[in-house]
Amino acid sequence: MKVSYFHVAGEVPDTINGPEGPDAAVVIDVLRATTTIAWALHNGAEAIQTFADLDELRSEANAWPEQKRLLVGERGGAKLDGFDLGNSPVSVVPETVKGKRLFMSTTNGTRSLHRVREVACVLTVALPNREAVAKRLIQDQPEQVWMVGSGWEGTYSLEDSLAAGALAESLLAAGASVANDEMQAALALWAQWKDNPEACLRIASHGQRLIRLGDHDADFQRCAGLDQLSVVPTQAEPGVLRAVSG
């Protein structure tokens, strides 16, 4: 298994859907989309359907029974007007999400999911389900794994690279190899912060942005909680993620 990391969707090579492309793609958005996805599925959501375009989201959601759907939307770290939930892993509690489909669009994470949606195996990872995703990949043994960060509006983010390094550490311990310099840098970042990942999230530019928006202590704690979940969010059809146990 060879693992590569790309900081944002825009850095993913055009060869992604050809013979040079990956056998598996893993999308990362630590603050907060992939953390929210993992917790929502863990807490019983039927599926998460992701959208880069809000008009498409509303159209698809309107075709779903009202009592079985939730609109989850965020731009700039804040909840979208008219949506049921923002992009917070703390808000997707069982009594809110169980049995429901979440129609989700966020500033960054859903763009990366859209970029890789044609890959045969698409997973999402955050720190809480790092080990579960690692076990799944080690079990399946894809030849090429591309991790794709979400960044912030097309630019690098510290926290996504941190999680890429965390996942890569587990994969390398099982015999995987590093395929690009971005992955090596992510591993070095994880080695520096692995004993206090929450501190890294808080100094990251998006962490600072969330702090300025208000009290997000519970979000930081939830996003930094390593290896707490066994769920592996897995694309069942383009743009639709369902829970698979790791």
Side-chain angles (χ1 to χ4, degrees):
M1 187 192 309
K2 295 180 179 179
V3 292
S4 304
Y5 177 53
F6 303 96
H7 296 138
V8 292
E11 293 180 4
V12 173
D14 291 337
T15 57
I16 184 169
N17 296 321
E20 303 296 317
D23 306 290
V26 184
V27 170
I28 307 167
D29 187 359
V30 172
L31 292 173
R32 293 165 283 172
T34 58
T35 308
T36 300
I37 287 167
W39 274 100
L41 290 173
H42 171 78
N43 285 334
E46 179 265 334
I48 315 292
Q49 190 163 350
T50 62
F51 299 85
D53 181 79
L54 290 176
D55 289 336
E56 184 184 356
L57 182 154
R58 291 187 180 97
S59 176
E60 290 284 337
N62 286 337
W64 205 260
E66 186 173 357
Q67 69 275 18
K68 291 289 187 179
R69 73 181 188 227
L70 290 170
L71 272 60
V72 180
E74 166 268 325
R75 290 294 184 271
K79 183 171 82 74
L80 285 169
D81 289 342
F83 277 59
D84 299 297
L85 299 173
N87 182 22
S88 169
V90 178
S91 67
V92 289
V93 293
E95 54 267 33
T96 300
V97 304
K98 189 172 183 179
K100 296 183 180 179
R101 177 166 295 210
L102 276 56
F103 294 83
M104 183 181 199
S105 182
T106 69
T107 305
N108 305 295
T110 47
R111 295 182 190 178
S112 293
L113 279 161
H114 190 269
R115 181 72 178 94
V116 304
R117 65 193 300 171
E118 301 302 326
V119 176
C121 174
V122 177
L123 313 174
T124 69
V125 74
L127 292 173
N129 69 333
R130 182 274 305 255
E131 195 57 35
V133 173
K135 288 177 180 177
R136 167 78 178 275
L137 291 169
I138 292 164
Q139 173 188 302
D140 292 353
Q141 283 295 309
E143 185 175 341
Q144 293 278 354
V145 176
W146 287 10
M147 301 184 206
V148 182
S150 298
W152 176 258
E153 296 187 343
T155 61
Y156 174 90
S157 71
L158 194 68
E159 69 275 6
D160 290 349
S161 292
L162 182 76
L167 177 57
E169 179 187 61
S170 291
L171 298 178
L172 265 60
S177 61
V178 173
N180 67 355
D181 285 352
E182 290 88 342
M183 190 78 265
Q184 292 284 13
L187 281 161
L189 183 68
W190 175 244
Q192 179 178 350
W193 289 100
K194 63 191 298 182
D195 292 330
N196 191 0
E198 185 176 338
C200 183
L201 304 192
R202 286 178 175 275
I203 67 164
S205 60
H206 189 39
Q208 292 291 302
R209 190 176 295 109
L210 289 176
I211 290 168
R212 290 193 296 272
L213 284 170
D215 179 7
H216 284 88
D217 285 350
D219 275 346
F220 280 117
Q221 292 165 12
R222 187 63 56 91
C223 291
L226 187 65
D227 300 338
Q228 295 179 340
L229 303 178
S230 62
V231 68
V232 180
T234 303
Q235 183 173 258
E237 57 189 90
V240 178
L241 297 158
R242 289 197 171 93
V244 176
S245 293

